[in-house]
Amino acid sequence: MIRNIVFASAVLFTLDTSAKAADAVTVAAPANDYWSGLYAGVHAGYGWGRARDVDASGPDSYRNIDGWLGGVQIGANARMNSLVFGVEGDIAATGIGFSQAGDGFSLKGNVDWLSTIRGRVGFTPTDRMLVYGTGGVAFAGFDLDLNGGGQSFGGNGFHTGWAVGAGVEAMVTDKISLKAEYLYSDFSSDSYKLPDPANIALRVHTVRVGANFHF
């Protein structure tokens, strides 16, 4: 009988220990994975750079450009331990441009829109923060208008190029994150019909802040 009591006590002790261990595992469950899955959001910011005639030289061969921008983005992330890999596409309307007036003429140029498709690689110093680098292809629409002597010249151009940058993003709720990002974009030239044809290339820096909703 004593042997049976000892055996029963050992069984009860084992069951109680197993239950407590299971509770401990439940309490120690992994934190939410904020950096995997689809997201979409909006951004706004400021841009500056140069519109340059690649066939000319000297101070008259380029114009400094600057102005606002605002747009939308969509992307996806995948997390591997503390590393995050992703892809993002964005498009923005902009007022990044210049305006010049002289004796009987006016010259205006504006980046009407900017778009990129980029990879992102980053790390998570905390569960809710992502620091990343980014790079990929870039596209831009540029409008150039010259008016003088009762005539108008110019037109709309399409530019392709590349973009690189870096940013930081932080989850402020379980579904919403805020981000700040810098991008440098370098675009190939396109031809514009001025009195003398001009091949205009673009270089654009942008700083942007935005918000994303994570699905």
Side-chain angles (χ1 to χ4, degrees):
M1 180 176 179
I2 294 175
R3 183 181 300 172
N4 291 339
I5 292 173
V6 171
F7 177 75
S9 298
V11 171
L12 290 175
F13 176 78
T14 301
L15 292 174
D16 181 61
T17 302
S18 299
K20 289 180 179 179
D23 290 342
V25 170
T26 301
V27 171
N32 289 337
D33 186 359
Y34 299 110
W35 306 109
S36 291
L38 298 174
Y39 63 88
V42 297
H43 64 266
Y46 174 77
W48 70 97
R50 282 186 175 181
R52 181 174 61 92
D53 185 346
V54 299
D55 298 323
S57 60
D60 290 333
S61 66
Y62 66 87
R63 297 293 185 274
N64 293 323
I65 56 176
D66 70 313
W68 57 270
L69 63 95
V72 296
Q73 68 269 354
I74 187 170
N77 291 319
R79 182 174 181 175
M80 297 177 61
N81 298 319
S82 62
L83 296 179
V84 176
F85 302 89
V87 62
E88 180 175 292
D90 62 67
I91 188 167
T94 97
I96 302 172
F98 73 92
S99 179
Q100 178 183 358
D103 186 13
F105 80 95
S106 65
L107 178 64
K108 295 181 180 180
N110 191 77
V111 180
D112 293 331
W113 57 269
L114 289 170
S115 180
T116 67
I117 301 173
R118 295 173 283 109
R120 302 202 309 173
V121 179
F123 68 97
T124 54
T126 70
D127 285 338
R128 288 180 172 267
M129 179 174 288
L130 172 65
V131 179
Y132 62 90
T134 182
V137 296
F139 311 93
F142 188 69
D143 180 66
L144 184 64
D145 295 302
L146 172 63
N147 296 287
Q151 293 182 298
S152 296
F153 306 91
N156 297 309
F158 177 73
H159 298 258
T160 59
W162 50 270
V164 294
V168 60
E169 189 168 358
M171 301 297 300
V172 293
T173 74
D174 288 345
K175 292 292 185 179
I176 296 175
S177 64
L178 300 179
K179 71 172 187 175
E181 183 178 74
Y182 165 80
L183 287 179
Y184 169 73
S185 302
D186 194 301
F187 298 96
S188 62
S189 63
D190 197 5
S191 181
Y192 293 83
K193 295 181 180 180
L194 301 179
D196 294 319
N199 291 310
I200 304 299
L202 303 172
R203 293 179 179 177
V204 181
H205 305 261
T206 60
V207 288
R208 311 189 290 186
V209 294
N212 286 319
F213 180 85
H214 296 254
F215 298 96

